[in-house]
Amino acid sequence: MTSFVKSPNSPSGQPMVDAAGVHKRFGGLHVLRGIDLTVRTGEVVCVIGPSGSGKTTFLRCINHLEQITGGRLYVDGVLMGYRERGDKLHELHPREAARQRRDIGMVFQHFNLFPHMTALQNVVEAPIRVQKMRKDDALAAGRQLLARVGLGDKEDTYPAQLSGGQQQRVAIARALAMKPKLMLFDEPTSALDPELIGEVLDVMKQLANDGMTMVVVTHEVGFAREVGDKLVFMDGGVVVESGKPADVLSRPQQERTKAFLSKVL
């Protein structure tokens, strides 16, 4: 059985994600209020919390889909989206930010597949256009990835002909095709019918087993308990509590965490 590409090792214990005092404002709305979070290479960090707590915004800040408005955010030791001169940050040109983003895979809640492309075409588009991979090599790698997510017989199928779970698995294969060092998942099962959730979670579990570094915003508490190395509870734009999933879920220390978990467990 062919495994997914493992995350490359970071230099001497350097964290894969290092957020230090990260703030994000949308006009007068202060969404992130000083996020401090470290994700080690090979670690699976699951983020839970109520709607509006800043989970998705934080995820989008990691790969600079959203610009932070305070603090610092590093991926594999590289400051994301900015160049630091003295104590001031200067935003990178969009092309430079896009180059940084190539090493980070992201799977969205609503798949975001190209509807006019087959499953295989969706998977190989970025390697061919962005990485300038030879078409034959990209197609071979794309077929391997589709087979690995259980969709080897769907390469010529268009998204509209696939179930939600199948579309999300194509989206995972598409993200993996760029050989990322980090995978971000933004509530990847929340748009799926209940009977389709398991097939997506199974692929994510295999990714974790293969050593991929992952940050997963999720409502699937069972997945967080089983697969996560760290569980982070966010509310009001701050990290309220974090720790080993079993500890946070069974013995939460903060009253806000206890109140939230009492409604979802």
Side-chain angles (χ1 to χ4, degrees), residues 45 80 83 105 119 124 127 134 136 151 179 185 231 248-249 261:
V45 174
M80 290 300 295
R83 185 176 291 107
V124 304
R134 290 179 61 248
D136 287 348
L151 295 172
K179 299 182 179 179
F185 293 85
L231 181 61
V248 174
L249 294 172
L261 291 176

Side-chain angles (χ1 to χ4, degrees), residues 63-96:
N63 64 356
H64 200 62
L65 287 176
E66 296 288 354
Q67 303 170 13
I68 64 174
T69 49
R72 302 288 188 276
L73 216 164
Y74 299 87
V75 173
D76 203 15
V78 176
L79 181 64
M80 290 300 295
Y82 295 91
R83 185 176 291 107
E84 193 164 14
R85 293 174 184 156
D87 59 351
K88 292 186 177 181
L89 295 182
H90 301 267
E91 188 170 4
L92 296 180
H93 187 279
R95 282 197 299 271
E96 294 179 88

Side-chain angles (χ1 to χ4, degrees), residues 18 43 61 85 97 140 200 208:
D18 188 13
E43 194 171 40
C61 286
R85 293 174 184 156
V200 174

Side-chain angles (χ1 to χ4, degrees), residues 10 77-78 89 114 135 148 162 172 180 201 219 226 251:
S10 289
V78 176
L89 295 182
F114 297 114
K135 186 175 181 179
R148 191 63 189 85
L162 298 171
I172 293 172
L201 294 182
H219 293 295
E226 179 184 352
R251 297 177 295 278

Side-chain angles (χ1 to χ4, degrees), residues 113-132:
L113 298 176
F114 297 114
H116 63 289
M117 293 184 179
T118 65
L120 183 59
Q121 288 170 337
N122 266 281
V123 172
V124 304
E125 176 73 4
I128 292 172
R129 288 187 176 272
V130 178
Q131 294 183 331
K132 308 304 181 185

